[in-house]
Amino acid sequence: LAPWVPVVGLEIHAQISSNSKLFSGSQVQFAAPPNSLVSFFDASLPGTLPVLNRRCVEAAVMTGLALNCSINKKSLFDRKHYFYADLPAGYQITQQRVPIAVNGSLSYSLCIDNKMSQMVTKTVRIKQIQLEQDSGKSLHDDTRSQTLVDLNRAGVGLMEVVMEPDMCCGEEAAAAVRELQLILQTLGSSQAVMAEGQLRVDANVSVHHPGQPYGVRTEVKNINSIRFLAKAVDYEIQRQIEELANGGTILNETRAFDSKLGCTVPMRDKEGKQDYRFMPEPNLPPLILYDAKSLPANVNHQQVVNIDWIHERLPDLPSVKRAKLVEQYGILPEHSFALLNEDGLSEYFENVVKQTQMKPKKVIGWILNVLLSYLKQHSLTVKESPVSCFLLADLLNLLEKREISSTAARQVFAELWKGEGKTPLEIVKEKKLELIQDQKELEQICQAVIDGQESEVIMIVLG
Amino acid sequence: QVSAALKEGHVTPTELCQRCLALIKSTKFLNAYITVAEKTALEQAEESEKRYKRGQPLGVLDGIPVAVKDNFNTAGIETTCASNMLKGYISPYNATVVQKLLDQGAVLLGKTNLDEFAMGSGSTDGVFGPVRNPWSYSRQYKEKSVPKSDSEDEESNWVITGGSSGGSAAAVSSFTCFAALGSDTGGSTRNPAAHCGVVGLKPTYGLISRHGLIPLVNSMDVPGILTRCVDDAAVVLGSLAGHDPKDSTTIQDNFKPFELPSLPDVSKLSIGIPKEYHAPGLSSEILALWSKAADLFKNAGAKVTEVSLPHTRYSIVCYHVLCTAEVASNMARFDGLEYGHRSDMNKSTESMYAATRREGFNDVVRGRILSGNYFLLKQNYENYFVKAQKVRRLIANDFLKVFGSGVDILLTPTTLTDAVPYMEFIKEDNRTRSAQDDILTQAANMAGLPAINVPAALSERGLPVGLQFIGRSFQEKQLLTVAKWFEKQVKFPMIQLEEVKGHNDNVFQHQKSASFS
C-alpha cells in the first residue's frame, strides 16, 4: 500500500488590537450590548466613506516584520462582494491584489513522540498578510424564523495570515498556530484569544501519494481552539485517506468541524463556487509605506508609517526570549517553551530565581512540575496563583539550606496554596517539618521506633 | 450683489427666504424640488437675520437661499435619490459640502429632483417624475415655437432640463435659489446647466469632499456647483473646497479661496479646440457658436489652436464599463436590512433581498447593476474592467499631452443640441440617451479635470446653449477667469418667466444674470 502524504495549509484571521475599527472611528470591544459600537460607515449608510486607521497598518507591519515578510511599500485595497446579513455594504474591503506583506516564514517547535525531552524545529512559509474588515455577527433564531444581526464586529480590523501547505498533521498545525499566537501577543498587534474570536483558523487539507500532484483539498472551518484544530485536521486527513482508499473522491468543499462528535461535516451553506467580483476600492488611495531611505523630507509624521521605525521598536520575539532564557539560566529548550507557553510564567520564574540561592536548573522543576500542575488542576492563571514568587522563593531557600526535605517542601507548598497568608517558615514550624540535623536526636528516634516494634525487629534479625 | 443687499439691510434674509419659497410654490409645475424644507429654512433665515443685525454675518453666503440635489445627505431632511429605495429615508448626518454651506449661514430651501440615483441625462427617470426646463415657459421659447392654439399642445411641448442634476439647474434658472449643488459623474452638472442657461462647474476630482454624496461612480463623482454667474460659482467653490479627513480621496494641500479679477485678461492664454469634439450629431447652430467663441478669443489676442484628443471616441464605452461596475458595487448595500425600503417578502433573507431590490430600484438602476456584475465576473474582469481602466489612462494622457504642450484651456461645446422636448426624449431609452448626451462632457470625468459650462446664446428655438471650458487639474482659478471673461463677452440674456417677473424687485433687476456676490 502506497503511503499517503497529508498536506495542511492554514488561513488565520487575527483581530487587530486597536481602539477603533479599520476604516471608522467606532470602538473595538468584546461583548458590548448589540449594535452599540456601530458608526454610520459600519452600518453602510449611503454616502459614508472609509478612512484608514493608522494603528491597524502599524499592527500589520509589526506582524509582517516579526514573520520575516517583505513589507510591500505600496499595497492596495479591494472590494470582495457577496450578500450576507452580517455584511452591510454587500462587500468586504480587503487586500486581494497586493497585500501589505508577503513571503515570510514562521519557525515552530514540536516534541517528538510526546516526550518533552526531544524538540524539533520546523518552518512554515507565510504566503502573505493582508488587512481586511471583519463582518458582523448573525444569530439564526429558527424558532421564530428570524435572523438577528449584531454589527458591533462589522468593520473591526483583521490581519489574514496565510500559511502555505507546509504542514503535515494536526500537531504541526497546532504548534504553528500556537507560536503565531505567542508572537501576536508579544507584539501586541492582536490579543489572539481564540475563545473571544480574536484568532480564527481555517485549515486546508488534502492528501496525495509521494511523487504525485497534490490532491483535491477541503477547507475546514468552525475550529474554536488549538486543541480542536489538531483534532479537526487529523480527522480530515484520516477521512480523506479512507475515502480515497475505498475508491471514492474528495470534493473541493468547505466542511465544518463538529467538536462534540469530533468529525468534519459538509457545510450546509455552500452553494457552489462564489464569484466575488473583486474590484479595486475606489475610495482608498494605494497605501504607501516608507522606510528611512524613502521618507520624504518635509512630511507630517502623523501621516506616514515608517517601516524602519517600527522595526527598531519590535520587542523580543518568543524565539529570542527562549534562547535568552536557555543561555542565561542553563535550562533546557523544552523548558523555555513551557515557560513561554503560559502567560506570566517566565516572569514568575525569573523573579523566583532572583530571590533564591537555588540553581535555576532546580527551580525550573518546581515551576513546571509543581506550580504549573497546581495551576492547571485549579484552572488558574499565573496571575491568580495563591503562591506568589516571593513565597515560593522563600520556600526554595529553606529547601536549599537543607532545613527541610523535598517531601516536606511539597507539603509546605500544598499549605501555601490554601492562601491563608502564612509564610513558609511559619508552616514549617507549625507542622514540625524541620529537618533534624542533630545526630543524637536521630538515633533516639530510630531507637524509639525499633523499641516500639519488638516483634518486627526479631523477625528482621532472624532473616 | 444680493449679499451686499443683505449686508446693507435693503433686504432681510427672512424676506429673501420667503420670496424664494413663494416662487418655489408658484413654479411647482417645474417639479424641480422633491422636498421643500420650509420650516427649517425660515429658522435658518431668522438666525441669519440676527447675525446681520449684530453686524456679524458669517460671510458672503450668510442668508443666501440655496438648494441641494437629493443625492446629498441632509440631516433631518429626507434624502431619496429620487428612488423608491430611499423614499422616506432621513439621514442622521450632513454631507460635508452641505455642512460647509450651513456653517457659512446659507439657507437650505430644499432637495432637488434628479434621475434616480443620478443615472440619466434628462432628469426624467426619477420616481417623483421628470423635471421641466423653466425655459419651456419662457417668453423666448414660446415666441419661437410653432404657434399652437390649444394649451394642451403647449403643455406637451415642454423641454427637458438635461441631467441628472436637472432639479438643481431648474431651481437656479428659475430664480428660486441663488446657488445649488449638483453632482457630476459624466456631465450631470454641466449638461443641465447648458440646457437651463446657467453656470455649471465641475471641479477637479479630489478638490471637494464627497463625504455624504451618495455615490454613483466613486472614482469619477464630484459635487457640482450651479449658479447664475461665474463669480457666484467662485464664491461657492471657495466655501466648499479643501481637504476633508472623512474623504480619503481629497487632496491634502491647503486650498486658498480666490477672487476673480474684475477685468479678466485672456490675451496671454492658449486656447485649444479639440477636433474630436466636433462629434456626429452636433447641431450646426452649436458648431457655429463654438466657432464664434473661438474667434472671440482670437480677437482678444489669445492663441487659439486646433488640438487632438484621439481617444475621445472610446470614452463612452469605457465609461459604460467602469460606471456599471461601480454601480453594481455601490448598490450592493441596498438590501433592505439597515435602512431604506424593505419588502414584505420574508420567506428567506435572499428572497427579501431580491424583492426589496426589485421593488426599490427602477429599470435603469437594475440594468446597470446587472451589466456591472457581468463585467466584474472573474472570467470577464481582465477583458472589460481592466481594459477599460487602461483606456481611461489613455484618455487622461490625451489631456496631459495637450496641456503639456502649452495649451491652457480647452474650448468645446457642452451638448450636441439644445434641449429636446420631453415627448421626444423619452422615445429612446435611458442608456441610449446617456450615451449620446454624455459624449462631450464625459472625458473630463475620466481624467478628473475641472470643467465648466457657461451659457453662450439662445438657439433658434429660443433655448439656452452653453459652451464648455476644460482646465488643468486644480487650476480652477484660471478656468473660472476664462469663463468669466467669456461670460462678459456673450452677455447671455436673462430668462423671461411670468412667475419670476411677479417677484421682481431691485434685488433681481440689476444685472442680466442676477448674482449674489
Side-chain angles (χ1 to χ4, degrees):
Chain A
L1 273 174
W4 289 101
V5 178
V7 167
V8 181
L10 299 174
E11 269 165 39
I12 299 157
H13 288 91
Q15 240 182 38
I16 298 175
S17 173
S18 60
N19 289 329
S20 53
K21 296 184 180 179
L22 182 55
F23 295 116
S24 73
S26 40
Q27 232 196 315
V28 177
Q29 199 191 308
F30 184 66
N35 293 312
S36 60
L37 304 170
V38 185
S39 69
F40 297 154
F41 173 76
D42 302 331
S44 80
L45 293 195
T48 52
L49 299 169
V51 181
L52 184 55
N53 178 337
R54 185 214 171 90
R55 158 67 189 164
C56 292
V57 176
E58 290 172 346
V61 172
M62 269 197 284
T63 307
L65 290 171
L67 294 176
N68 305 306
C69 296
S70 308
I71 306 295
N72 281 328
K73 293 226 190 75
K74 177 172 162 184
S75 62
L76 305 170
F77 290 100
D78 303 288
R79 293 183 181 181
K80 176 180 182 181
H81 300 86
Y82 60 94
F83 285 96
Y84 205 69
D86 61 18
L87 197 67
Y91 59 83
Q92 174 203 38
I93 302 180
T94 177
Q95 293 188 301
Q96 187 242 5
R97 288 169 294 157
V98 186
I100 192 168
V102 291
N103 296 337
S105 64
L106 169 67
S107 293
Y108 59 96
S109 292
L110 292 175
C111 328
I112 300 199
D113 299 330
N114 260 341
K115 288 184 229 156
M116 276 301 271
S117 49
Q118 261 196 299
M119 302 210 84
V120 63
T121 304
K122 298 226 164 186
T123 309
V124 58
R125 290 168 297 157
I126 304 289
K127 178 163 185 236
Q128 64 188 54
I129 301 175
Q130 65 203 53
L131 282 167
E132 58 184 37
Q133 291 175 304
D134 207 344
S135 64
K137 281 207 188 118
S138 53
L139 303 147
H140 300 287
D141 182 357
D142 288 320
T143 46
R144 291 193 195 83
S145 296
Q146 60 184 12
T147 302
L148 306 166
V149 182
D150 176 13
L151 295 180
N152 281 349
R153 205 185 63 180
V156 170
L158 293 176
M159 294 177 286
E160 179 175 328
V161 179
V162 181
M163 291 187 182
E164 300 275 27
D166 296 341
M167 295 160 283
C168 72
C169 59
E171 197 188 358
E172 288 191 357
V177 171
R178 179 67 188 129
E179 187 66 8
L180 175 66
Q181 196 179 38
L182 286 174
I183 291 175
L184 293 171
Q185 289 167 348
T186 304
L187 293 172
S189 57
S190 170
Q191 287 166 348
V193 175
M194 276 181 94
E196 288 183 11
Q198 292 163 340
L199 192 69
R200 287 167 242 155
V201 183
D202 299 332
N204 293 315
V205 180
S206 73
V207 298
H208 64 276
H209 288 304
Q212 298 284 314
Y214 281 13
V216 174
R217 67 157 195 243
T218 62
E219 190 188 12
V220 182
K221 283 174 153 338
N222 195 42
I223 299 167
N224 297 325
S225 75
I226 295 187
R227 207 166 51 90
F228 286 152
L229 170 62
K231 275 196 165 163
V233 166
D234 287 335
Y235 174 86
E236 181 60 17
I237 290 172
Q238 216 34 54
R239 183 192 77 83
Q240 289 192 11
I241 289 174
E242 277 169 21
E243 183 70 33
L244 291 170
N246 289 333
T249 52
I250 305 299
L251 295 171
N252 176 215
E253 59 176 352
T254 302
R255 299 175 71 88
F257 179 65
D258 185 323
S259 51
K260 289 201 194 97
L261 299 173
C263 65
T264 64
V265 293
M267 277 179 85
R268 271 178 299 122
D269 271 345
K270 206 61 184 167
E271 1 64 23
K273 281 269 181 87
Q274 273 255 39
D275 191 326
Y276 293 112
R277 289 161 283 127
F278 286 98
M279 185 184 92
E281 169 55 67
N283 291 317
L284 292 169
L287 174 59
I288 310 288
L289 302 174
Y290 298 94
D291 54 27
K293 251 192 271 173
S294 65
L295 195 63
N298 307 325
V299 79
N300 180 357
H301 285 272
Q302 295 263 344
Q303 289 292 325
V304 299
V305 169
N306 184 338
I307 302 168
D308 288 340
W309 193 87
I310 294 176
H311 205 158
E312 282 159 24
R313 283 157 187 75
L314 286 178
D316 277 348
L317 293 181
S319 50
V320 173
K321 279 194 201 167
R322 286 186 208 115
K324 282 188 178 171
L325 285 169
V326 168
E327 206 202 296
Q328 202 177 346
Y329 301 108
I331 57 177
L332 295 174
E334 47 262 36
H335 294 158
S336 69
F337 268 90
L339 280 181
L340 254 55
N341 221 27
E342 192 66 31
D343 194 26
L345 194 59
S346 65
E347 288 83 9
Y348 188 105
F349 166 71
E350 292 192 271
N351 283 335
V352 171
V353 166
K354 270 192 213 129
Q355 297 167 78
T356 177
Q357 298 92 41
M358 184 183 279
K359 289 235 167 69
K361 278 191 195 171
K362 279 178 81 177
V363 174
I364 195 76
W366 276 88
I367 301 288
L368 296 181
N369 300 331
V370 184
L371 175 70
L372 195 55
S373 66
Y374 266 79
L375 287 173
K376 290 292 172 206
Q377 246 180 19
H378 294 87
S379 297
L380 292 175
T381 63
V382 172
K383 281 198 191 83
E384 296 164 336
S385 168
V387 181
S388 71
C389 51
F390 308 103
L391 288 176
L392 182 56
D394 281 348
L395 173 58
L396 295 182
N397 282 338
L398 291 177
L399 183 55
E400 196 63 9
K401 285 187 262 177
R402 293 176 188 268
E403 286 183 32
I404 52 174
S405 68
S406 58
T407 326
R410 292 240 173 181
Q411 273 181 269
V412 175
F413 188 90
E415 275 302 308
L416 284 172
W417 190 265
K418 290 186 189 154
E420 286 163 1
K422 301 187 200 140
T423 66
L425 199 55
E426 284 167 0
I427 296 172
V428 165
K429 291 222 160 73
E430 214 182 271
K431 305 256 175 194
K432 298 203 203 305
L433 294 168
E434 307 92 323
L435 267 183
I436 301 171
Q437 312 282 10
D438 185 351
Q439 187 79 5
K440 267 230 170 95
E441 216 187 318
L442 283 168
E443 274 181 20
Q444 273 179 357
I445 293 171
C446 292
Q447 193 62 49
V449 172
I450 294 171
D451 291 342
Q453 307 284 335
E454 263 191 41
S455 45
E456 317 286 347
V457 173
I458 294 169
M459 298 274 280
I460 293 169
V461 166
L462 288 176
Chain B
Q1 288 173 305
V2 78
S3 183
L6 283 170
K7 238 180 162 169
E8 284 158 36
H10 292 316
V11 66
T12 68
T14 317
E15 282 169 344
L16 203 52
C17 180
Q18 279 163 344
R19 275 198 219 126
C20 287
L21 289 170
L23 192 52
I24 292 174
K25 286 202 181 89
S26 59
T27 54
K28 211 161 175 205
F29 54 89
L30 293 177
N31 203 17
Y33 288 80
I34 294 175
T35 305
V36 180
E38 188 163 331
K39 187 161 164 288
T40 52
L42 286 169
E43 283 167 11
Q44 287 161 8
E46 240 183 79
E47 290 301 310
S48 172
E49 201 158 310
K50 289 188 195 147
R51 289 189 291 265
Y52 274 104
K53 285 210 176 98
R54 289 200 302 265
Q56 292 170 334
L58 292 166
V60 177
L61 289 175
D62 202 339
I64 302 292
V66 298
V68 164
K69 186 174 180 182
D70 208 14
N71 59 354
F72 286 91
N73 277 271
T74 46
I77 300 172
E78 205 176 329
T79 301
T80 68
C81 294
S83 174
N84 277 320
M85 191 57 91
L86 289 177
K87 241 184 187 167
Y89 174 69
I90 308 244
S91 170
Y93 74 100
N94 279 326
T96 298
V97 289
V98 170
Q99 191 61 51
K100 284 189 168 186
L101 287 176
L102 293 175
D103 288 344
Q104 290 286 306
V107 172
L108 180 55
L109 294 173
K111 309 296 290 295
T112 57
N113 204 351
L114 58 154
D115 285 302
E116 181 161 338
F117 280 109
M119 298 183 206
S121 58
S123 303
T124 54
D125 284 327
V127 293
F128 298 103
V131 184
R132 300 187 184 200
N133 192 329
W135 285 83
S136 315
Y137 304 94
S138 67
R139 171 134 41 114
Q140 290 106 324
Y141 177 63
K142 287 191 211 172
E143 274 173 1
K144 293 295 179 74
S145 45
V146 177
K148 287 202 161 73
S149 46
D150 50 15
S151 55
E152 199 189 24
D153 277 322
E154 196 180 76
E155 256 299 296
S156 62
N157 217 18
W158 60 268
V159 299
I160 57 166
T161 52
S164 61
S165 310
S168 284
V172 172
S173 169
S174 60
F175 285 80
T176 60
C177 65
F178 286 81
L181 291 184
S183 64
D184 196 311
T185 309
S188 291
T189 290
R190 292 161 286 155
N191 174 296
H195 287 315
C196 294
V198 298
V199 170
L201 170 62
K202 175 212 169 295
T204 312
Y205 184 88
L207 182 61
I208 298 188
S209 172
R210 291 182 297 111
H211 173 252
L213 167 59
I214 297 175
L216 173 58
V217 184
N218 285 290
S219 60
M220 297 183 207
D221 289 352
V222 291
I225 297 171
L226 295 132
T227 55
R228 286 192 284 275
C229 71
V230 177
D231 275 327
D232 290 352
V235 171
V236 177
L237 179 68
S239 71
L240 295 181
H243 176 64
D244 182 9
K246 296 192 189 119
D247 178 352
S248 307
T249 60
T250 53
I251 49 157
Q252 307 265 359
D253 308 358
N254 281 326
F255 171 79
K256 292 188 200 77
F258 50 81
E259 243 183 68
L260 299 173
S262 44
L263 294 168
D265 171 26
V266 301
S267 56
K268 297 188 187 64
L269 288 176
S270 168
I271 310 286
I273 311 287
K275 63 180 187 198
E276 290 81 4
Y277 281 63
H278 183 161
L282 186 65
S283 78
S284 46
E285 256 188 324
I286 298 188
L287 184 58
L289 192 61
W290 187 16
S291 183
K292 253 174 83 180
D295 289 339
L296 270 175
F297 281 98
K298 239 183 255 168
N299 295 336
K303 180 170 165 216
V304 180
T305 45
E306 191 189 70
V307 296
S308 175
L309 299 168
H311 297 93
T312 304
R313 62 195 165 116
Y314 301 119
S315 78
I316 287 294
V317 184
C318 179
Y319 175 71
H320 177 74
V321 173
L322 296 177
C323 172
T324 53
E326 281 225 31
V327 165
S329 179
N330 292 333
M331 297 295 144
R333 65 186 60 209
F334 295 104
D335 53 18
L337 274 183
E338 300 86 13
Y339 48 81
H341 173 68
R342 185 199 280 212
S343 169
D344 290 329
M345 162 67 72
N346 60 3
K347 282 213 195 89
S348 69
T349 313
E350 261 87 44
S351 63
M352 191 274 280
Y353 284 163
T356 296
R357 288 162 72 79
R358 189 182 3 98
E359 293 163 16
F361 291 138
N362 72 4
D363 284 353
V364 179
V365 177
R366 282 169 30 229
R368 293 199 193 187
I369 292 173
L370 288 170
S371 307
N373 277 326
Y374 177 78
F375 296 135
L376 289 177
L377 287 176
K378 210 166 172 185
Q379 73 246 35
N380 294 329
Y381 184 74
E382 278 291 323
N383 289 333
Y384 289 96
F385 190 87
V386 177
K387 258 283 151 53
Q389 293 275 51
K390 291 179 178 173
V391 174
R392 183 176 180 178
R393 171 64 60 199
L394 292 176
I395 293 170
N397 284 347
D398 277 356
F399 286 101
L400 283 177
K401 268 198 209 109
V402 165
F403 285 130
S405 71
V407 169
D408 299 305
I409 300 279
L410 296 169
L411 167 63
T412 80
T414 313
T415 56
L416 294 174
T417 64
D418 57 3
V420 299
Y422 174 73
M423 298 307 286
E424 207 181 293
F425 184 78
I426 56 174
K427 285 189 189 149
E428 300 273 15
D429 64 64
N430 183 294
R431 164 128 197 260
T432 310
R433 285 296 181 200
S434 298
Q436 292 164 348
D437 302 333
D438 285 347
I439 205 154
L440 300 170
T441 48
Q442 214 291 302
N445 298 86
M446 288 291 210
L449 297 171
I452 188 170
N453 171 78
V454 183
L458 291 182
S459 68
E460 267 176 28
R461 289 162 66 218
L463 294 173
V465 171
L467 288 176
Q468 172 177 238
F469 297 95
I470 305 174
R472 288 202 188 95
S473 272
F474 302 107
Q475 300 304 311
E476 272 79 355
K477 185 169 181 190
Q478 185 177 68
L479 178 69
L480 290 171
T481 302
V482 172
K484 180 171 175 175
W485 180 86
F486 182 71
E487 179 186 61
K488 278 182 160 1
Q489 299 301 308
V490 297
K491 298 191 180 53
F492 183 79
M494 195 163 104
I495 188 175
Q496 286 169 27
L497 271 180
E498 278 302 321
E499 293 73 13
V500 174
K501 266 209 194 113
H503 294 259
N504 241 352
D505 59 26
N506 59 349
V507 173
F508 291 112
Q509 244 170 13
H510 281 96
Q511 265 183 0
K512 295 278 169 62
S513 308
S515 76
F516 59 75
S517 53

